[in-house]
Amino acid sequence: MATEIQKNLAEKNAEYAQKFDQGHLALPPAKKYLVLTCMDARIDPAAAFGISLGDAHVIRNAGASARDAQRSIVISEQLLGTRESELHRDFARVSSRHTGCGMLTFTNDDAHAIVKKNLGPAALAELGALDFLPFPELDKAVKDDVEFLKVSTTIPDDVPITGWVYEVETGKVRQVV
Amino acid sequence: MATEIQKNLAEKNAEYAQKFDQGHLALPPAKKYLVLTCMDARIDPAAAFGISLGDAHVIRNAGASARDAQRSIVISEQLLGTRESELHRDFARVSSRHTGCGMLTFTNDDAHAIVKKNLGPAALAELGALDFLPFPELDKAVKDDVEFLKVSTTIPDDVPITGWVYEVETGKVRQVV
């Protein structure tokens, strides 16, 4: 039986599909850029960052970690952009973390202890030495991410990369790098 | 100097922030669910899946891979939900892949060859034996993802998990599992 959440998805999607007229959009992002942000429920990247449908790849994970997103970032640029290598370099990247992020509230040791307590030793073993990638300082995490992407050999040197903080309290972005 | 993309972000965000009145939202997703979908530019999860601001975590990566998202999924449920273990189990998950996905168009060997050709051997070495997680069949990939999450010891057995396909041509979702 469908849960309330599944019913909501089906009903809201039916309304969306009825008005949908963007079926012509091509696979490569029209504006050739990529936004990396957090999975946090309080962020709507399309609305808050002005991304029109079809314009940009949007990657979201816990904490907006660039390390965690590396597979997707390389695929975005090298495989799903334009397939013409002279255009790959037009990709720009925006990396944004945000205030009030839950990733500021725990350490790896905390996370492993909670998994063990709530889910048991089998779950802990399944995750192994997984780095949950928490971070204690917001601006420093943004700077570290941009640095990680800039020194990475997987991203051409002339790709613009900027780092931002999104304020969940005000809806404002603030450029850090 | 700011690029056109960065200027667009700053300008559109200023408009968004001026009307923003959701600064009161709490960190845990109000409706306690999680949506996993692809980074594809043609998907607007909030609009297409009826997700109101503050309601759900949204994870996005290349191909909507559940394996790639495991860190974020565990954090969502065990650390950023409610912190009360009896409520964690209210989390539901929706995993959706989509038609026309670029991940259907290449193999791991293709991806490694393209990285080597475009970025050189240093980039190939940095990525190592990275699995790009491409998939040759859409519905099968959704089924495999749901199965992966269902057998995982990191997710309690009573969490509802469903698998969907989003059609970029029509804006419609179709439930697979």
Side-chain angles (χ1 to χ4, degrees):
Chain A
M1 211 185 68
T3 65
E4 286 304 312
I5 286 162
Q6 292 154 18
K7 276 186 225 162
N8 174 69
L9 167 62
E11 286 168 17
K12 293 287 171 55
N13 176 259
E15 291 170 25
Y16 179 78
Q18 200 158 27
K19 294 177 202 157
F20 185 78
D21 58 2
Q22 299 292 302
H24 60 281
L25 294 171
L27 194 158
K31 290 201 177 156
K32 299 190 180 62
Y33 73 108
L34 162 59
V35 172
L36 165 63
T37 192
C38 187
M39 68 179 178
D40 194 284
R42 295 164 293 177
I43 305 173
D44 180 347
F49 306 153
I51 307 168
S52 296
L53 199 69
D55 273 4
H57 283 144
V58 180
I59 301 172
R60 302 181 65 174
N61 65 37
S65 163
R67 283 168 206 275
D68 186 82
Q70 191 172 29
R71 179 188 69 94
S72 298
I73 292 171
V74 172
I75 289 172
S76 172
E77 182 167 288
Q78 296 300 325
L79 290 147
L80 302 185
T82 59
R83 300 253 180 159
E84 296 173 32
S85 63
E86 67 276 18
L87 288 180
H88 288 150
R89 295 175 181 244
D90 293 342
F91 269 83
R93 274 187 208 77
V94 174
S95 168
S96 83
R97 297 200 184 229
H98 66 97
T99 55
C101 186
M103 303 299 287
L104 293 156
T105 65
F106 63 86
T107 65
N108 259 322
D109 285 348
D110 295 336
H112 284 274
I114 287 170
V115 167
K116 189 178 174 189
K117 176 173 170 282
N118 289 352
L119 298 169
L124 201 65
E126 184 181 332
L127 294 174
L130 178 69
D131 186 348
F132 284 92
L133 300 166
F135 50 92
E137 287 177 56
L138 188 56
D139 283 28
K140 183 171 181 307
V142 176
K143 287 175 194 162
D144 287 350
D145 260 4
V146 172
E147 185 64 17
F148 169 76
L149 295 172
K150 288 199 169 170
V151 301
S152 173
T153 58
T154 65
I155 300 172
D157 289 340
D158 55 355
V159 173
I161 303 171
T162 50
W164 306 69
V165 164
Y166 174 73
E167 299 177 354
V168 295
E169 301 84 1
T170 63
K172 287 181 188 164
V173 291
R174 168 169 63 80
Q175 186 164 3
V176 175
V177 188
Chain B
M1 213 184 66
T3 65
E4 286 305 312
I5 285 163
Q6 292 153 19
K7 276 187 225 165
N8 174 69
L9 167 61
E11 286 169 17
K12 293 285 170 56
N13 176 258
E15 290 170 25
Y16 180 77
Q18 199 158 26
K19 295 177 202 156
F20 185 77
D21 58 3
Q22 300 292 303
H24 60 281
L25 294 172
L27 192 158
K31 292 202 178 157
K32 300 189 179 63
Y33 73 107
L34 162 59
V35 172
L36 165 63
T37 192
C38 187
M39 68 179 179
D40 194 284
R42 295 164 294 179
I43 305 173
D44 180 347
F49 307 152
I51 307 168
S52 296
L53 199 70
D55 273 2
H57 283 144
V58 180
I59 302 172
R60 302 181 65 174
N61 64 38
S65 163
R67 284 168 206 274
D68 186 81
Q70 190 172 30
R71 179 188 70 93
S72 297
I73 291 171
V74 172
I75 289 171
S76 173
E77 182 168 286
Q78 297 300 326
L79 292 146
L80 302 186
T82 60
R83 299 254 181 158
E84 296 172 33
S85 61
E86 68 274 19
L87 289 181
H88 287 151
R89 294 174 183 246
D90 293 342
F91 269 82
R93 275 187 208 78
V94 174
S95 169
S96 83
R97 298 200 184 230
H98 66 95
T99 55
C101 186
M103 303 298 287
L104 292 157
T105 65
F106 62 86
T107 65
N108 259 322
D109 284 348
D110 295 336
H112 284 275
I114 287 170
V115 166
K116 189 178 175 191
K117 175 173 169 282
N118 289 352
L119 298 169
L124 201 65
E126 184 180 332
L127 294 174
L130 178 68
D131 186 348
F132 284 92
L133 299 167
F135 50 93
E137 287 177 56
L138 188 55
D139 283 27
K140 183 171 183 306
V142 176
K143 288 175 194 163
D144 287 350
D145 261 4
V146 171
E147 184 65 16
F148 169 75
L149 294 172
K150 287 200 169 168
V151 302
S152 174
T153 58
T154 65
I155 299 173
D157 288 340
D158 56 355
V159 173
I161 304 171
T162 49
W164 306 69
V165 164
Y166 174 73
E167 298 177 353
V168 296
E169 301 84 0
T170 63
K172 287 182 189 164
V173 291
R174 168 169 64 80
Q175 187 163 1
V176 175
V177 188

